[in-house]
Amino acid sequence: MEEEVSNLNKTVLFDWHRSKGAKIVPFSGYHMPVYYGNGILKEHLHTRRKVSLFDISHMGQIELRGPNVYSDFEALVPADIFDLAENHCRYTQFTNDGGGIIDDFIVTKQSDSLNLVVNAACKMKDFTHLKAHLEGSIEIEKLDNYALLALQGPQSAEVLSKFCPEIKNLAFMTKQNTLIKGINASISRSGYTGEDGFEISLKKSDCLDLVDILTREPEVEPAGLGARDTLRLEAGLCLYGNDLDESITPVEAGLKWTIGKQKRLEGGFLGDDKILSQLRDGPEKKRIGICLSGKVPVRSGADILDGEGRSIGTISSGGYSPTLQKPIAMGYVTLNSAQLNEKIQIIVRKKRLEATIIKIPFVEPNYYKTS
Amino acid sequence: MIKYTKQHEWVAINDGDEKATVGITDYAQKQLGDIVYVELPGIGVKVNKGDEAAVVESVKAAAEVYSPISGEILEVNENLADSPELINNDAEVNGWFFKLVPSEESELEELMDKEGYDKYIGDLD
């Protein structure tokens, strides 16, 4: 994971992170805060109890425009796009010919365009992929002048609605353009923590002002990528590069729910042969949740054995759960081994650790539900 | 006497005492962040200088702890099993890892003293 430090990008908040005592590490081509003075555990628990502010400006923001943008984009993703309402967001993936995942991201339908928020590490290949399939008919714009913040936690609506009351009842996975103390912002009710929260896209030049406004609120603390990772793991959300890659299909990843009704019937997207046949016959491997019996955290790459000691798969993400105060993990195992409550073993430093297959998510999400 | 390694372990031994105490430095615990698990060596195990003697797991990652000197493990800090955060709170006293009987006292002379270590970490930042 060593990266060439001298060539790294900085987000517009780099100096702000340093002034808040952040430990900065190279991540996906950027200098990013992994945690601030309080450390990952406290930032994690603060997000579950109150509100945390994350700088996620390293992520790619892309806008697609053109007369046939919705129908042309339809061919690149397993999700249905035609039935997505305006200002609604949907989680989907770019798939390759073999059904493997090139990237996973959120797409939002806008009045005459689509907005994508993609993984930092996949920005360039996504752009190349989009150009290869859409160039000529669709205008592809990288929103390089925009920053992205995530405000996450059970009190995030209370905090944000002080400045823009209209977002208080914004539905989960919908987006609204609004003003926060005179700053233009595009706010979606979404996130990567399992909590209620918002992702706020705004001009880089306005970002520091908004960060100052939000962090003046007593409930809000900054949180880094370390807590973002432990939070998403507890919520059972996939991390591209760990739990997803170009050899893993959405069916194998347990993302069947993201495949559109129309697409299931008719295909019509890259990798549809493989994905539809897996929907019909089942995949060969499957993502599972794992709870360790002891206290030793397991990390990605560790081997998974069945109760009889036969190799059945590999850990894709693992670590310590601050909420449950024990190690949890996700991994891929052969389909017939992927039974809930099955006893398995994980190999760490040549020792076999007892573990059990459990349901994902590990911690119940607290997404906003319209009453 | 307390000596330090470039891998950020400390080893302390009192004059006339037969056992040395080993831990990781405050600098090391800060770099690791919140520690959630420690794997300690077995009592009676003989380690050579530079051998992997313990593993510390932070929320983010695992890190090896190397024995600063050769010797036989006499005692381990049992408190770390239930309270690994002792290392974050008090790395250089109550967060010690293990005690060993040194087999090569001369090895201590090769390590850095406090002043040398402070200069060493000063240059790392």
Side-chain angles (χ1 to χ4, degrees):
Chain A
M1 294 288 274
E2 290 290 309
E3 296 189 41
E4 193 66 50
V5 173
S6 55
N7 300 330
L8 294 180
N9 296 307
K10 291 172 182 166
T11 77
V12 72
L13 293 179
F14 179 76
D15 290 333
W16 185 85
H17 296 315
R18 285 217 296 207
S19 76
K20 296 291 169 190
K23 180 176 165 62
I24 308 268
V25 298
F27 181 83
S28 298
Y30 284 79
H31 286 288
M32 294 300 289
V34 63
Y35 53 83
Y36 300 81
N38 287 338
I40 296 174
L41 289 180
K42 288 203 177 79
E43 289 173 17
H44 179 111
L45 296 171
H46 186 83
T47 316
R48 291 265 180 261
R49 286 171 195 151
K50 293 189 171 178
V51 192
S52 293
L53 182 70
F54 301 79
D55 177 17
I56 52 169
S57 301
H58 59 309
M59 299 192 76
Q61 302 184 67
I62 300 173
E63 225 156 77
L64 306 175
R65 267 178 238 100
N68 301 315
V69 63
Y70 307 139
S71 54
D72 287 0
F73 189 74
E74 197 83 71
L76 303 184
V77 295
D80 288 337
I81 298 299
F82 73 92
D83 68 342
L84 186 60
E86 196 172 310
N87 295 321
H88 281 241
C89 318
R90 194 161 272 174
Y91 170 73
T92 188
Q93 311 87 29
F94 288 133
T95 41
N96 60 28
D97 283 332
I101 298 170
I102 297 169
D103 194 8
D104 69 325
F105 59 92
I106 303 279
V107 56
T108 306
K109 195 179 260 187
Q110 304 178 149
S111 58
D112 59 350
S113 61
L114 289 171
N115 174 281
L116 316 182
V117 176
V118 305
N119 282 299
C122 299
K123 265 193 261 195
M124 290 316 292
K125 73 171 178 177
D126 289 344
F127 195 66
T128 307
H129 182 68
L130 285 166
K131 264 172 73 170
H133 291 276
L134 303 178
E135 192 161 47
S137 58
I138 305 294
E139 183 194 340
I140 308 163
E141 187 191 357
K142 286 190 276 190
L143 302 180
D144 287 334
N145 292 324
Y146 282 76
L148 194 61
L149 300 172
L151 193 69
Q152 301 280 300
Q155 295 178 18
S156 50
E158 207 178 299
V159 167
L160 197 55
S161 62
K162 286 183 197 170
F163 310 106
C164 43
E166 65 274 24
I167 59 86
K168 189 147 198 175
N169 300 315
L170 186 67
F172 182 54
M173 294 298 273
T174 67
K175 195 180 228 177
Q176 185 170 342
N177 295 321
T178 186
L179 278 175
I180 307 174
K181 286 205 165 180
I183 298 169
N184 275 303
S186 179
I187 300 181
S188 65
R189 197 159 206 156
S190 60
Y192 193 48
T193 61
E195 292 298 328
D196 186 17
F198 302 88
E199 290 188 348
I200 305 167
S201 173
L202 75 172
K203 286 235 176 73
K204 275 181 180 172
S205 52
D206 290 329
C207 190
L208 201 53
D209 288 341
L210 182 60
V211 164
D212 281 337
I213 291 168
L214 293 174
T215 52
R216 239 176 269 145
E217 296 303 307
E219 302 89 343
V220 179
E221 294 282 347
L225 294 183
R228 190 167 154 84
D229 187 46
T230 51
L231 288 158
R232 71 91 198 166
L233 179 59
E234 286 184 352
L237 300 170
C238 292
L239 172 62
Y240 194 87
N242 276 49
D243 309 297
L244 307 175
D245 64 34
E246 294 191 19
S247 73
I248 294 169
T249 71
V251 182
E252 292 161 353
L255 302 174
K256 251 196 266 193
W257 61 274
T258 70
I259 304 173
K261 277 188 189 142
Q262 185 89 5
K263 295 281 174 64
R264 284 171 195 241
L265 291 172
E266 297 176 4
F269 61 101
L270 287 174
D272 54 0
D273 277 355
K274 173 77 173 232
I275 289 170
L276 295 192
S277 81
Q278 284 190 339
L279 281 175
R280 205 167 44 238
D281 308 327
E284 279 166 25
K285 60 179 177 180
K286 202 181 152 196
R287 180 167 61 102
I288 55 163
I290 297 162
C291 164
L292 279 293
S293 309
K295 291 185 174 180
V296 186
V298 303
R299 312 289 180 181
S300 66
D303 288 326
I304 307 174
L305 311 180
D306 68 9
E308 273 80 57
R310 287 177 298 241
S311 175
I312 53 169
T314 311
I315 298 291
S316 53
S317 277
Y320 178 81
S321 160
T323 304
L324 305 173
Q325 298 186 308
K326 61 182 184 184
I328 55 173
M330 302 198 289
Y332 282 87
V333 297
T334 50
L335 188 66
N336 51 8
S337 307
Q339 307 293 330
L340 274 187
N341 304 319
E342 198 73 15
K343 297 285 175 205
I344 55 172
Q345 300 172 323
I346 317 292
I347 308 220
V348 175
R349 295 184 284 275
K350 294 178 185 160
K351 289 185 199 119
R352 292 183 179 192
L353 308 177
E354 299 298 320
T356 309
I357 299 180
I358 62 167
K359 73 168 182 61
I360 295 170
F362 302 95
V363 173
E364 270 317 303
N366 182 33
Y367 301 128
Y368 176 68
K369 292 182 197 79
T370 319
S371 48
Chain B
M1 172 174 58
I2 301 186
K3 290 293 189 96
Y4 300 85
T5 70
K6 287 188 174 176
Q7 290 80 37
H8 310 290
E9 293 94 9
W10 55 265
V11 48
I13 186 162
N14 294 325
D15 278 346
D17 205 343
E18 65 144 8
K19 59 181 189 261
T21 306
V22 173
I24 64 169
T25 64
D26 193 54
Y27 176 87
Q29 70 79 14
K30 281 198 188 114
Q31 296 298 312
L32 290 165
D34 297 310
I35 291 165
V36 295
Y37 176 77
V38 185
E39 194 167 286
L40 294 166
I43 309 286
V45 169
K46 290 195 172 74
V47 292
N48 289 317
K49 175 183 175 155
D51 281 357
E52 185 183 313
V55 177
V56 346
E57 298 260 9
S58 73
V59 176
K60 282 301 285 175
E64 290 83 25
V65 176
Y66 304 99
S67 187
I69 53 172
S70 307
E72 183 175 332
I73 306 291
L74 198 66
E75 194 182 338
V76 296
N77 188 352
E78 306 283 358
N79 293 330
L80 298 182
D82 287 326
S83 307
E85 70 277 6
L86 270 177
I87 301 165
N88 291 119
N89 298 339
D90 193 10
E92 302 197 14
V93 183
N94 288 314
W96 62 277
F97 278 53
F98 54 86
K99 298 186 187 210
L100 80 175
V101 183
S103 53
E104 299 281 344
E105 295 254 357
S106 63
E107 287 174 349
L108 282 162
E109 289 159 25
E110 300 156 21
L111 302 175
M112 289 177 276
D113 60 11
K114 174 85 178 138
E115 195 184 334
Y117 180 69
D118 285 346
K119 184 179 179 315
Y120 171 67
I121 57 174
D123 291 344
L124 292 179
D125 285 333

